[in-house]
């Protein structure tokens, strides 16, 4: 158990819909990362937040957005869903957010299926 | 961030050492080498990291060549539970980067066989 929790575990929805994925980082970790894993693209970095502020952006679509709340949990919002958005979405947390080295702890993931 | 090259797959007999190579010829002086693994569809798991010197922890050993252009992850006594995809990642420049994002390649699928 990494200490990172993600809800829900599974999500099935239809094209055009909007969903919210939730992540609670390990206690004390200030940085949260979101990654997407699909069969054809592998594991891809989407976005990072550090203590409530956006720190880095990766291959995140404009239809996707994220935020980190004062209690440090984070949400990833996916809208106007397409079939290609079906993937595993992982959240990870770390203590320092990239200053010097840091180990990331990954949650169990949310499996999104868009029908 | 420097790119890494890993063999797509490897086999290892249970109880034997698994040696997973990684090339990172464009690594810069302040970049660390990280290894993570992903068992089936679980979240990736941190294994070990190093900068210049060889490192060892309870899970594995990391051997980095003197020129830092390649490294080897060693699982000393592989078990069936070590069957996973292993990712070698170069990241985290000490002074120029303030982001901890991980750029995953395709990794090496290690199959440990009885």
């Amino acid at each position: 158990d990494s200490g990172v929790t993600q809800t829900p575990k599974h999500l099935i929805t239809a094209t055009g819909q909007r969903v919210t994925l939730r992540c609670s980082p390990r206690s004390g970790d200030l940085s949260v990362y979101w990654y997407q894993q699909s069969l054809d693209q592998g594991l891809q970095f989407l976005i990072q937040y550090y203590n409530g502020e956006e720190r880095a952006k990766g291959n995140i679509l404009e239809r996707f957005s994220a935020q980190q709340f004062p209690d440090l949990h984070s949400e990833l919002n996916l809208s106007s869903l397409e079939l290609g958005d079906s993937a595993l979405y992982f959240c990870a947390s770390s203590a320092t957010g990239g200053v010097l080295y840091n180990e990331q702890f990954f949650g169990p993931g949310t499996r999104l299926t868009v029908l | 961030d420097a790119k890494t090259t890993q063999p797509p797959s490897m086999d290892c007999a249970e109880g034997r050492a698994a040696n997973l190579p990684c090339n990172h010829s464009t690594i810069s002086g302040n970049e660390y080498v990280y290894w993570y693994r992903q068992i089936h569809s679980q979240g990736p798991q941190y294994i070990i990291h190093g900068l210049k010197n060889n490192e060892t922890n309870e899970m594995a050993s990391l051997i980095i060549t003197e020129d830092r252009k390649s490294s080897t992850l060693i699982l000393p006594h592989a078990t069936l539970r070590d069957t996973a995809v292993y990712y070698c990642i170069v990241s985290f420049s000490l002074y120029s980067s303030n982001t901890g994002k991980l750029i995953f390649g395709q990794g090496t699928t290690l199959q440990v066989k009885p």
Side-chain angles (χ1 to χ4, degrees):
Chain A
D1 184 1
S2 67
V4 177
T5 60
Q6 290 187 247
T7 55
K9 281 189 177 179
H10 302 277
L11 199 47
I12 301 175
T13 188
T15 55
Q17 295 298 306
R18 172 190 171 93
V19 297
T20 298
L21 313 184
R22 182 188 169 102
C23 169
S24 293
R26 289 190 322 153
S27 177
D29 282 357
L30 299 177
S31 197
V32 168
Y33 309 78
W34 287 96
Y35 295 87
Q36 178 194 56
Q37 186 171 32
S38 59
L39 282 175
D40 55 344
Q41 295 290 329
L43 262 165
Q44 289 204 307
F45 168 74
L46 293 178
I47 197 164
Q48 175 196 1
Y49 279 83
Y50 180 76
N51 203 20
E53 294 189 2
E54 183 183 302
R55 177 66 66 90
K57 252 185 178 177
N59 299 321
I60 188 166
L61 300 171
E62 285 191 11
R63 300 183 285 109
F64 296 0
S65 64
Q67 54 184 329
Q68 186 179 27
F69 295 86
D71 67 353
L72 300 178
H73 90 271
S74 178
E75 292 181 356
L76 180 67
N77 300 297
L78 315 177
S79 62
S80 304
L81 285 168
E82 302 175 0
L83 296 177
D85 297 328
S86 295
L88 264 172
Y89 291 84
F90 289 106
C91 167
S93 74
S94 70
T96 64
V99 177
L100 300 182
Y101 68 89
N102 76 117
E103 174 185 345
Q104 291 187 27
F105 297 84
F106 283 76
T110 293
R111 183 174 293 277
L112 173 66
T113 302
V114 182
L115 301 176
Chain B
D1 298 316
K3 287 190 175 179
T4 62
T5 304
Q6 299 178 252
S9 64
M10 292 181 64
D11 289 342
C12 177
E14 188 178 20
R16 304 297 292 268
N19 296 279
L20 292 91
C22 179
N23 286 322
H24 32 79
S25 58
T26 60
I27 191 170
S28 65
N30 295 327
E31 288 183 307
Y32 285 90
V33 178
Y34 282 76
W35 284 83
Y36 280 75
R37 74 179 181 183
Q38 186 176 26
I39 297 172
H40 194 45
S41 294
Q42 298 176 20
Q45 176 190 23
Y46 165 86
I47 301 172
I48 198 168
H49 76 277
L51 184 62
K52 293 180 184 177
N53 302 317
N54 299 337
E55 301 288 345
T56 296
N57 63 19
E58 65 279 3
M59 286 183 69
S61 294
L62 174 60
I63 308 298
I64 303 174
T65 57
E66 193 169 341
D67 63 7
R68 302 207 327 121
K69 292 184 177 182
S70 65
S71 61
T72 301
L73 178 74
I74 301 171
L75 307 179
H77 306 286
T79 71
L80 298 179
R81 286 179 293 181
D82 292 322
T83 292
V85 179
Y86 287 77
Y87 297 98
C88 169
I89 300 166
V90 173
S91 188
F92 309 153
S93 177
L94 271 176
Y95 302 109
S96 65
S97 171
N98 62 354
T99 171
K101 65 181 181 183
L102 295 173
I103 306 299
F104 288 85
Q106 296 306 306
T108 296
T109 299
L110 175 68
Q111 182 73 45
V112 180
K113 298 186 174 182

